[in-house]
PDB file of all heavy atoms in Angstrom:
ATOM      1  N   GLN R  25      75.765 101.114  13.309  1.00 94.00           N
ATOM      2  CA  GLN R  25      74.509 101.594  13.944  1.00 94.00           C
ATOM      3  C   GLN R  25      74.626 102.941  14.619  1.00 94.00           C
ATOM      4  O   GLN R  25      73.791 103.322  15.431  1.00 94.00           O
ATOM      5  CB  GLN R  25      73.988 100.566  14.957  1.00 94.00           C
ATOM      6  CG  GLN R  25      73.655  99.217  14.314  1.00 94.00           C
ATOM      7  CD  GLN R  25      72.545  99.348  13.252  1.00 94.00           C
ATOM      8  OE1 GLN R  25      71.497  99.958  13.539  1.00 94.00           O
ATOM      9  NE2 GLN R  25      72.751  98.822  12.056  1.00 94.00           N
ATOM     10  N   LEU R  26      75.638 103.745  14.245  1.00 95.00           N
ATOM     11  CA  LEU R  26      75.769 105.083  14.830  1.00 95.00           C
ATOM     12  C   LEU R  26      74.628 106.002  14.405  1.00 95.00           C
ATOM     13  O   LEU R  26      74.171 106.850  15.142  1.00 95.00           O
ATOM     14  CB  LEU R  26      77.115 105.687  14.449  1.00 95.00           C
ATOM     15  CG  LEU R  26      78.340 105.012  15.063  1.00 95.00           C
ATOM     16  CD1 LEU R  26      79.592 105.664  14.545  1.00 95.00           C
ATOM     17  CD2 LEU R  26      78.275 105.057  16.562  1.00 95.00           C
ATOM     18  N   GLY R  27      74.133 105.823  13.141  1.00 94.00           N
ATOM     19  CA  GLY R  27      73.026 106.631  12.706  1.00 94.00           C
ATOM     20  C   GLY R  27      71.822 106.403  13.593  1.00 94.00           C
ATOM     21  O   GLY R  27      71.123 107.335  13.978  1.00 94.00           O
ATOM     22  N   ALA R  28      71.515 105.135  13.924  1.00 95.00           N
ATOM     23  CA  ALA R  28      70.384 104.811  14.779  1.00 95.00           C
ATOM     24  C   ALA R  28      70.537 105.461  16.144  1.00 95.00           C
ATOM     25  O   ALA R  28      69.597 105.995  16.712  1.00 95.00           O
ATOM     26  CB  ALA R  28      70.217 103.301  14.893  1.00 95.00           C
ATOM     27  N   VAL R  29      71.733 105.411  16.716  1.00 96.00           N
ATOM     28  CA  VAL R  29      72.033 105.966  18.010  1.00 96.00           C
ATOM     29  C   VAL R  29      71.782 107.480  17.948  1.00 96.00           C
ATOM     30  O   VAL R  29      71.110 108.032  18.863  1.00 96.00           O
ATOM     31  CB  VAL R  29      73.465 105.673  18.450  1.00 96.00           C
ATOM     32  CG1 VAL R  29      73.850 106.463  19.667  1.00 96.00           C
ATOM     33  CG2 VAL R  29      73.636 104.188  18.686  1.00 96.00           C
ATOM     34  N   LEU R  30      72.286 108.157  16.942  1.00 97.00           N
ATOM     35  CA  LEU R  30      72.142 109.596  16.817  1.00 97.00           C
ATOM     36  C   LEU R  30      70.678 109.997  16.613  1.00 97.00           C
ATOM     37  O   LEU R  30      70.179 110.971  17.206  1.00 97.00           O
ATOM     38  CB  LEU R  30      72.996 110.130  15.711  1.00 97.00           C
ATOM     39  CG  LEU R  30      74.524 110.055  15.952  1.00 97.00           C
ATOM     40  CD1 LEU R  30      75.277 110.364  14.686  1.00 97.00           C
ATOM     41  CD2 LEU R  30      74.950 110.948  17.096  1.00 97.00           C
ATOM     42  N   LEU R  31      69.943 109.246  15.772  1.00 97.00           N
ATOM     43  CA  LEU R  31      68.540 109.549  15.539  1.00 97.00           C
ATOM     44  C   LEU R  31      67.707 109.419  16.839  1.00 97.00           C
ATOM     45  O   LEU R  31      66.890 110.282  17.149  1.00 97.00           O
ATOM     46  CB  LEU R  31      67.964 108.635  14.440  1.00 97.00           C
ATOM     47  CG  LEU R  31      68.450 108.902  13.026  1.00 97.00           C
ATOM     48  CD1 LEU R  31      68.055 107.744  12.099  1.00 97.00           C
ATOM     49  CD2 LEU R  31      67.899 110.232  12.522  1.00 97.00           C
ATOM     50  N   ASN R  32      67.967 108.344  17.571  1.00 97.00           N
ATOM     51  CA  ASN R  32      67.213 108.137  18.789  1.00 97.00           C
ATOM     52  C   ASN R  32      67.587 109.186  19.849  1.00 97.00           C
ATOM     53  O   ASN R  32      66.732 109.628  20.634  1.00 97.00           O
ATOM     54  CB  ASN R  32      67.364 106.743  19.322  1.00 97.00           C
ATOM     55  CG  ASN R  32      66.608 105.727  18.485  1.00 97.00           C
ATOM     56  OD1 ASN R  32      65.609 106.085  17.864  1.00 97.00           O
ATOM     57  ND2 ASN R  32      67.041 104.506  18.471  1.00 97.00           N
ATOM     58  N   HIS R  33      68.824 109.584  19.886  1.00 97.00           N
ATOM     59  CA  HIS R  33      69.238 110.617  20.826  1.00 97.00           C
ATOM     60  C   HIS R  33      68.527 111.938  20.487  1.00 97.00           C
ATOM     61  O   HIS R  33      68.010 112.596  21.405  1.00 97.00           O
ATOM     62  CB  HIS R  33      70.769 110.850  20.724  1.00 97.00           C
ATOM     63  CG  HIS R  33      71.246 111.952  21.566  1.00 97.00           C
ATOM     64  ND1 HIS R  33      71.299 111.902  22.956  1.00 97.00           N
ATOM     65  CD2 HIS R  33      71.641 113.208  21.239  1.00 97.00           C
ATOM     66  CE1 HIS R  33      71.751 113.057  23.416  1.00 97.00           C
ATOM     67  NE2 HIS R  33      71.968 113.860  22.376  1.00 97.00           N
ATOM     68  N   ALA R  34      68.432 112.273  19.230  1.00 97.00           N
ATOM     69  CA  ALA R  34      67.695 113.492  18.863  1.00 97.00           C
ATOM     70  C   ALA R  34      66.265 113.421  19.181  1.00 97.00           C
ATOM     71  O   ALA R  34      65.661 114.397  19.702  1.00 97.00           O
ATOM     72  CB  ALA R  34      67.858 113.719  17.313  1.00 97.00           C
ATOM     73  N   ARG R  35      65.644 112.252  19.038  1.00 98.00           N
ATOM     74  CA  ARG R  35      64.228 112.064  19.429  1.00 98.00           C
ATOM     75  C   ARG R  35      64.030 112.206  20.931  1.00 98.00           C
ATOM     76  O   ARG R  35      63.056 112.795  21.350  1.00 98.00           O
ATOM     77  CB  ARG R  35      63.701 110.714  18.890  1.00 98.00           C
ATOM     78  CG  ARG R  35      63.620 110.684  17.384  1.00 98.00           C
ATOM     79  CD  ARG R  35      63.390 109.297  16.835  1.00 98.00           C
ATOM     80  NE  ARG R  35      62.046 108.846  17.230  1.00 98.00           N
ATOM     81  CZ  ARG R  35      61.662 107.600  17.035  1.00 98.00           C
ATOM     82  NH1 ARG R  35      62.452 106.709  16.401  1.00 98.00           N
ATOM     83  NH2 ARG R  35      60.419 107.208  17.385  1.00 98.00           N
ATOM     84  N   ARG R  36      64.935 111.690  21.734  1.00 98.00           N
ATOM     85  CA  ARG R  36      64.835 111.845  23.190  1.00 98.00           C
ATOM     86  C   ARG R  36      64.988 113.294  23.604  1.00 98.00           C
ATOM     87  O   ARG R  36      64.305 113.808  24.444  1.00 98.00           O
ATOM     88  CB  ARG R  36      65.871 110.960  23.880  1.00 98.00           C
ATOM     89  CG  ARG R  36      65.467 109.491  23.930  1.00 98.00           C
ATOM     90  CD  ARG R  36      66.362 108.669  24.824  1.00 98.00           C
ATOM     91  NE  ARG R  36      67.762 108.650  24.375  1.00 98.00           N
ATOM     92  CZ  ARG R  36      68.237 107.838  23.464  1.00 98.00           C
ATOM     93  NH1 ARG R  36      67.443 106.934  22.900  1.00 98.00           N
ATOM     94  NH2 ARG R  36      69.484 107.845  23.113  1.00 98.00           N
ATOM     95  N   GLU R  37      65.976 113.985  22.993  1.00 97.00           N
ATOM     96  CA  GLU R  37      66.215 115.400  23.341  1.00 97.00           C
ATOM     97  C   GLU R  37      65.035 116.265  22.939  1.00 97.00           C
ATOM     98  O   GLU R  37      64.667 117.167  23.687  1.00 97.00           O
ATOM     99  CB  GLU R  37      67.521 115.890  22.667  1.00 97.00           C
ATOM    100  CG  GLU R  37      68.780 115.260  23.222  1.00 97.00           C
ATOM    101  CD  GLU R  37      68.978 115.566  24.736  1.00 97.00           C
ATOM    102  OE1 GLU R  37      68.886 116.737  25.108  1.00 97.00           O
ATOM    103  OE2 GLU R  37      69.233 114.646  25.480  1.00 97.00           O
ATOM    104  N   ALA R  38      64.423 115.978  21.811  1.00 98.00           N
ATOM    105  CA  ALA R  38      63.232 116.723  21.384  1.00 98.00           C
ATOM    106  C   ALA R  38      62.103 116.514  22.363  1.00 98.00           C
ATOM    107  O   ALA R  38      61.379 117.443  22.716  1.00 98.00           O
ATOM    108  CB  ALA R  38      62.829 116.336  19.959  1.00 98.00           C
ATOM    109  N   HIS R  39      61.977 115.306  22.884  1.00 98.00           N
ATOM    110  CA  HIS R  39      60.909 115.032  23.863  1.00 98.00           C
ATOM    111  C   HIS R  39      61.181 115.835  25.132  1.00 98.00           C
ATOM    112  O   HIS R  39      60.247 116.408  25.708  1.00 98.00           O
ATOM    113  CB  HIS R  39      60.860 113.512  24.192  1.00 98.00           C
ATOM    114  CG  HIS R  39      59.654 113.197  25.010  1.00 98.00           C
ATOM    115  ND1 HIS R  39      59.670 113.294  26.389  1.00 98.00           N
ATOM    116  CD2 HIS R  39      58.403 112.779  24.690  1.00 98.00           C
ATOM    117  CE1 HIS R  39      58.485 112.962  26.856  1.00 98.00           C
ATOM    118  NE2 HIS R  39      57.708 112.654  25.842  1.00 98.00           N
ATOM    119  N   LYS R  40      62.424 115.893  25.579  1.00 97.00           N
ATOM    120  CA  LYS R  40      62.779 116.671  26.781  1.00 97.00           C
ATOM    121  C   LYS R  40      62.408 118.126  26.609  1.00 97.00           C
ATOM    122  O   LYS R  40      62.105 118.827  27.600  1.00 97.00           O
ATOM    123  CB  LYS R  40      64.271 116.564  27.092  1.00 97.00           C
ATOM    124  CG  LYS R  40      64.718 115.226  27.590  1.00 97.00           C
ATOM    125  CD  LYS R  40      66.232 115.249  27.821  1.00 97.00           C
ATOM    126  CE  LYS R  40      66.778 113.872  28.104  1.00 97.00           C
ATOM    127  NZ  LYS R  40      68.261 113.940  28.231  1.00 97.00           N
ATOM    128  N   LEU R  41      62.419 118.631  25.368  1.00 97.00           N
ATOM    129  CA  LEU R  41      62.086 120.008  25.095  1.00 97.00           C
ATOM    130  C   LEU R  41      60.585 120.183  24.925  1.00 97.00           C
ATOM    131  O   LEU R  41      60.156 121.338  24.623  1.00 97.00           O
ATOM    132  CB  LEU R  41      62.837 120.484  23.851  1.00 97.00           C
ATOM    133  CG  LEU R  41      64.361 120.583  24.024  1.00 97.00           C
ATOM    134  CD1 LEU R  41      65.015 120.824  22.680  1.00 97.00           C
ATOM    135  CD2 LEU R  41      64.734 121.653  25.020  1.00 97.00           C
ATOM    136  N   GLY R  42      59.836 119.137  25.064  1.00 97.00           N
ATOM    137  CA  GLY R  42      58.383 119.244  25.035  1.00 97.00           C
ATOM    138  C   GLY R  42      57.697 118.943  23.689  1.00 97.00           C
ATOM    139  O   GLY R  42      56.510 119.232  23.510  1.00 97.00           O
ATOM    140  N   PHE R  43      58.453 118.465  22.714  1.00 98.00           N
ATOM    141  CA  PHE R  43      57.884 118.190  21.402  1.00 98.00           C
ATOM    142  C   PHE R  43      57.388 116.768  21.325  1.00 98.00           C
ATOM    143  O   PHE R  43      57.956 115.869  21.926  1.00 98.00           O
ATOM    144  CB  PHE R  43      58.922 118.412  20.308  1.00 98.00           C
ATOM    145  CG  PHE R  43      59.382 119.842  20.214  1.00 98.00           C
ATOM    146  CD1 PHE R  43      60.599 120.251  20.753  1.00 98.00           C
ATOM    147  CD2 PHE R  43      58.550 120.795  19.624  1.00 98.00           C
ATOM    148  CE1 PHE R  43      60.988 121.579  20.687  1.00 98.00           C
ATOM    149  CE2 PHE R  43      58.974 122.104  19.533  1.00 98.00           C
ATOM    150  CZ  PHE R  43      60.199 122.513  20.074  1.00 98.00           C
ATOM    151  N   GLN R  44      56.314 116.533  20.534  1.00 98.00           N
ATOM    152  CA  GLN R  44      55.759 115.223  20.330  1.00 98.00           C
ATOM    153  C   GLN R  44      56.309 114.572  19.094  1.00 98.00           C
ATOM    154  O   GLN R  44      56.370 113.343  18.970  1.00 98.00           O
ATOM    155  CB  GLN R  44      54.252 115.292  20.240  1.00 98.00           C
ATOM    156  CG  GLN R  44      53.596 115.687  21.557  1.00 98.00           C
ATOM    157  CD  GLN R  44      52.062 115.710  21.441  1.00 98.00           C
ATOM    158  OE1 GLN R  44      51.520 115.726  20.366  1.00 98.00           O
ATOM    159  NE2 GLN R  44      51.433 115.723  22.588  1.00 98.00           N
ATOM    160  N   ASN R  45      56.718 115.400  18.129  1.00 98.00           N
ATOM    161  CA  ASN R  45      57.236 114.886  16.867  1.00 98.00           C
ATOM    162  C   ASN R  45      58.509 115.613  16.487  1.00 98.00           C
ATOM    163  O   ASN R  45      58.746 116.738  16.918  1.00 98.00           O
ATOM    164  CB  ASN R  45      56.234 115.123  15.703  1.00 98.00           C
ATOM    165  CG  ASN R  45      54.987 114.275  15.902  1.00 98.00           C
ATOM    166  OD1 ASN R  45      55.074 113.094  16.099  1.00 98.00           O
ATOM    167  ND2 ASN R  45      53.841 114.928  15.851  1.00 98.00           N
ATOM    168  N   LEU R  46      59.325 114.929  15.718  1.00 97.00           N
ATOM    169  CA  LEU R  46      60.570 115.533  15.167  1.00 97.00           C
ATOM    170  C   LEU R  46      60.527 115.264  13.651  1.00 97.00           C
ATOM    171  O   LEU R  46      60.082 114.184  13.193  1.00 97.00           O
ATOM    172  CB  LEU R  46      61.795 114.834  15.800  1.00 97.00           C
ATOM    173  CG  LEU R  46      63.141 115.420  15.406  1.00 97.00           C
ATOM    174  CD1 LEU R  46      63.266 116.907  15.791  1.00 97.00           C
ATOM    175  CD2 LEU R  46      64.253 114.633  16.091  1.00 97.00           C
ATOM    176  N   TYR R  47      60.978 116.243  12.888  1.00 96.00           N
ATOM    177  CA  TYR R  47      60.900 116.174  11.420  1.00 96.00           C
ATOM    178  C   TYR R  47      62.299 116.243  10.841  1.00 96.00           C
ATOM    179  O   TYR R  47      63.241 116.765  11.466  1.00 96.00           O
ATOM    180  CB  TYR R  47      60.075 117.339  10.862  1.00 96.00           C
ATOM    181  CG  TYR R  47      58.671 117.341  11.395  1.00 96.00           C
ATOM    182  CD1 TYR R  47      58.332 118.008  12.553  1.00 96.00           C
ATOM    183  CD2 TYR R  47      57.672 116.654  10.705  1.00 96.00           C
ATOM    184  CE1 TYR R  47      57.047 117.983  13.044  1.00 96.00           C
ATOM    185  CE2 TYR R  47      56.357 116.630  11.181  1.00 96.00           C
ATOM    186  CZ  TYR R  47      56.060 117.298  12.383  1.00 96.00           C
ATOM    187  OH  TYR R  47      54.793 117.285  12.881  1.00 96.00           O
ATOM    188  N   LEU R  48      62.468 115.762   9.636  1.00 94.00           N
ATOM    189  CA  LEU R  48      63.709 115.924   8.881  1.00 94.00           C
ATOM    190  C   LEU R  48      63.372 115.964   7.420  1.00 94.00           C
ATOM    191  O   LEU R  48      62.340 115.411   6.955  1.00 94.00           O
ATOM    192  CB  LEU R  48      64.718 114.883   9.213  1.00 94.00           C
ATOM    193  CG  LEU R  48      64.465 113.417   8.904  1.00 94.00           C
ATOM    194  CD1 LEU R  48      64.713 113.030   7.469  1.00 94.00           C
ATOM    195  CD2 LEU R  48      65.332 112.540   9.821  1.00 94.00           C
ATOM    196  N   CYS R  49      64.235 116.587   6.634  1.00 91.00           N
ATOM    197  CA  CYS R  49      64.082 116.559   5.171  1.00 91.00           C
ATOM    198  C   CYS R  49      65.354 115.951   4.587  1.00 91.00           C
ATOM    199  O   CYS R  49      66.443 116.190   5.089  1.00 91.00           O
ATOM    200  CB  CYS R  49      63.779 117.932   4.599  1.00 91.00           C
ATOM    201  SG  CYS R  49      65.003 119.188   4.934  1.00 91.00           S
ATOM    202  N   THR R  50      65.173 115.175   3.529  1.00 92.00           N
ATOM    203  CA  THR R  50      66.307 114.443   2.967  1.00 92.00           C
ATOM    204  C   THR R  50      66.023 114.014   1.551  1.00 92.00           C
ATOM    205  O   THR R  50      64.890 113.988   1.102  1.00 92.00           O
ATOM    206  CB  THR R  50      66.611 113.195   3.827  1.00 92.00           C
ATOM    207  OG1 THR R  50      67.778 112.555   3.329  1.00 92.00           O
ATOM    208  CG2 THR R  50      65.449 112.195   3.805  1.00 92.00           C
ATOM    209  N   ASP R  51      67.095 113.686   0.815  1.00 89.00           N
ATOM    210  CA  ASP R  51      67.020 113.097  -0.482  1.00 89.00           C
ATOM    211  C   ASP R  51      67.293 111.591  -0.392  1.00 89.00           C
ATOM    212  O   ASP R  51      67.125 110.866  -1.383  1.00 89.00           O
ATOM    213  CB  ASP R  51      68.055 113.715  -1.426  1.00 89.00           C
ATOM    214  CG  ASP R  51      67.808 115.186  -1.663  1.00 89.00           C
ATOM    215  OD1 ASP R  51      66.611 115.618  -1.598  1.00 89.00           O
ATOM    216  OD2 ASP R  51      68.800 115.947  -1.914  1.00 89.00           O
TER     217      ASP R  51
END
């Protein structure tokens, strides 16, 4: 579950920076 931990950490950090959404691109 490290992927889940990292994804949620990124979402929290983006919120701290004032963003409402976070995006990613992937295959």
Side-chain angles (χ1 to χ4, degrees):
Q25 298 298 310
L26 293 176
V29 170
L30 293 170
L31 288 169
N32 286 335
H33 175 73
R35 291 170 67 188
R36 283 191 297 276
E37 291 299 311
H39 189 275
K40 288 179 190 177
L41 293 170
F43 296 102
Q44 293 181 344
N45 293 309
L46 185 60
Y47 301 89
L48 62 81
C49 59
T50 185
D51 296 331

